[in-house]
Amino acid sequence: GQQLNQSPQSMFIQEGEDVSMNCTSSSIFNTWLWYKQEPGEGPVLLIALYKAGELTSNGRLTAQFGITRKDSFLNISASIPSDVGIYFCAGHLGNKLVFGAGTILRVKS
Amino acid sequence: DAGVIQSPRHEVTEMGQEVTLRCKPISGHDYLFWYRQTMMRGLELLIYFNNNVPIDDSGMPEDRFSAKMPNASFSTLKIQPSEPRDSAVYFCASSPGLAAFFGQGTRLTVV
């Protein structure tokens, strides 16, 4: 079953709004990764987090590795139409990389 | 580097036929992962290799599925015999040890 609980399942927002999504787990993770997948493509890495408490930005994206190592969030500021897609969190349990169920993001322009 | 390369991109086969999916990882990456993606179950890890050795195949659905990595630049995932419920997108990903990088996937349809 899913070891990562990702929420929300989907979001439909207005262009320009900020977006926040998160992942939680009952297990401790060594890394947290955030990916975006567009139709017909494989997931593409957005941000990688390697240390508890780490806060990392990549353009309009910001992600944090929770202090407890059991959660992470991803924020997207000032959303634009090309932000649409499925966003996945992922984490390492040992060397095994497992994924959340994804958050579907739709942007209304 | 061209990234992770998977072939074919699309495969349509009849139930009972053997299917072989191929993957060329990024050069220098020590880890290779095979995932299956469906609407119902999301991205499931099937098996992963480290330095060409299978480490964890607990995600392989059943004995009809097998994976090999004969060398550092090639891996296959085989389904024999295939069934309609195997229809999914299969992804290969490689990693130097931390973040993984995905191929474009093979969309498999078993009719």
Side-chain angles (χ1 to χ4, degrees):
Chain A
Q2 290 288 353
Q3 294 170 294
L4 293 178
N5 300 307
Q6 191 169 349
S7 64
Q9 280 189 307
S10 65
M11 305 179 76
F12 190 16
I13 61 168
Q14 186 71 42
E15 181 179 359
E17 286 184 2
D18 295 343
V19 172
S20 185
M21 58 190 80
N22 67 79
C23 255
T24 61
S25 176
S26 56
S27 302
I28 290 176
F29 281 79
N30 300 323
T31 60
W32 283 96
L33 308 169
W34 285 93
Y35 287 81
K36 179 187 178 187
Q37 186 179 25
E38 298 185 14
E41 302 293 331
V44 173
L45 182 68
L46 298 174
I47 290 181
L49 303 158
Y50 301 117
K51 291 193 298 189
E54 181 180 355
L55 182 71
T56 296
S57 292
N58 178 7
R60 293 179 296 108
L61 278 57
T62 302
Q64 183 157 30
F65 190 148
I67 285 289
T68 64
R69 295 168 63 194
K70 294 183 178 182
D71 64 312
S72 176
F73 72 75
L74 174 71
N75 288 342
I76 305 173
S77 62
S79 58
I80 58 178
S82 62
D83 289 335
V84 299
I86 306 175
Y87 291 79
F88 292 98
C89 63
H92 279 98
L93 288 174
N95 290 316
K96 195 171 175 176
L97 184 60
V98 295
F99 281 75
T103 293
I104 299 171
L105 179 64
R106 298 184 179 91
V107 179
K108 186 167 51 175
S109 55
Chain B
D1 201 313
V4 176
I5 299 172
Q6 291 186 245
S7 64
R9 288 294 310 274
H10 302 274
E11 176 83 34
V12 180
T13 192
E14 289 186 347
M15 182 173 64
Q17 296 297 307
E18 177 180 296
V19 175
T20 299
L21 312 181
R22 297 173 173 80
C23 176
K24 181 180 188 312
I26 294 172
S27 177
H29 283 191
D30 294 331
Y31 291 86
L32 185 140
F33 304 85
W34 281 101
Y35 290 88
R36 178 172 68 176
Q37 186 176 38
T38 59
M39 289 291 291
M40 291 298 294
R41 301 175 68 88
L43 270 165
E44 299 175 275
L45 177 62
L46 300 178
I47 184 172
Y48 78 94
F49 296 81
N50 178 214
N51 292 322
N52 313 338
V53 176
I55 303 299
D56 187 335
D57 65 355
S58 59
M60 295 286 259
E62 46 199 275
D63 291 346
R64 297 184 297 106
F65 286 68
S66 62
K68 293 182 179 178
M69 192 164 185
N71 58 63
S73 59
F74 184 65
S75 177
T76 59
L77 178 67
K78 187 178 293 187
I79 308 172
Q80 166 63 17
S82 57
E83 296 182 3
R85 60 192 168 118
D86 301 331
S87 299
V89 181
Y90 291 80
F91 287 103
C92 174
S94 71
S95 170
L98 293 168
F101 298 86
F102 282 74
Q104 290 189 298
T106 295
R107 179 172 294 277
L108 173 65
T109 303
V110 183
V111 298

